[in-house]
Amino acid sequence: MDGTNVGKSTASWDASNTVTLNVRDVRYTQSQQDTEYALDYAQYWNQQGQTAPTFGLNSGSQGPVHGVFEIPAGDELTSLWVTAGTAIETIYGVQPGHLVLLQ
């Protein structure tokens, strides 16, 4: 995914605890190990000169968001959820966000 900072100051963002990939009614999030792999991948691209929201983007800047998700072979993604909050779910329930249907 590409992330764009539409705010008025530097912001950091990654797919850990903020994105689910969904196969029908089953949602997949990054495990702790997946998050570490995604961070390694982001660091590699950062060393190549490609900035990413993982390390902070200035206002108006855009960069790739790296994510690693373990989904069983043969399963076909039907949607993804990107939360507007800091976690998919809190003690108050699922946080507001955007559902993207995949076809």
Side-chain angles (χ1 to χ4, degrees), residues 21-28 76 78-79:
L21 298 181
N22 309 305
V23 177
R24 294 172 300 286
D25 64 345
V26 177
R27 79 179 179 197
Y28 295 92
E76 192 169 321
T78 54
S79 63

Side-chain angles (χ1 to χ4, degrees), residues 5-85:
N5 181 352
V6 296
K8 296 185 185 236
S9 62
T10 301
S12 299
W13 188 77
D14 61 41
S16 176
N17 296 321
T18 57
V19 175
T20 66
L21 298 181
N22 309 305
V23 177
R24 294 172 300 286
D25 64 345
V26 177
R27 79 179 179 197
Y28 295 92
T29 56
Q30 291 188 141
S31 69
Q32 184 174 357
Q33 184 65 52
D34 296 337
T35 299
E36 291 175 21
Y37 290 144
L39 181 58
D40 289 344
Y41 193 68
Q43 287 174 339
Y44 167 78
W45 283 107
N46 191 54
Q47 291 168 355
Q48 305 305 310
Q50 186 179 35
T51 58
T54 305
F55 304 108
L57 288 176
N58 284 323
S59 191
S61 296
Q62 181 177 348
V65 178
H66 304 285
V68 174
F69 295 82
E70 292 180 58
I71 299 171
D75 279 358
E76 192 169 321
L77 298 175
T78 54
S79 63
L80 65 94
W81 177 262
V82 180
T83 185

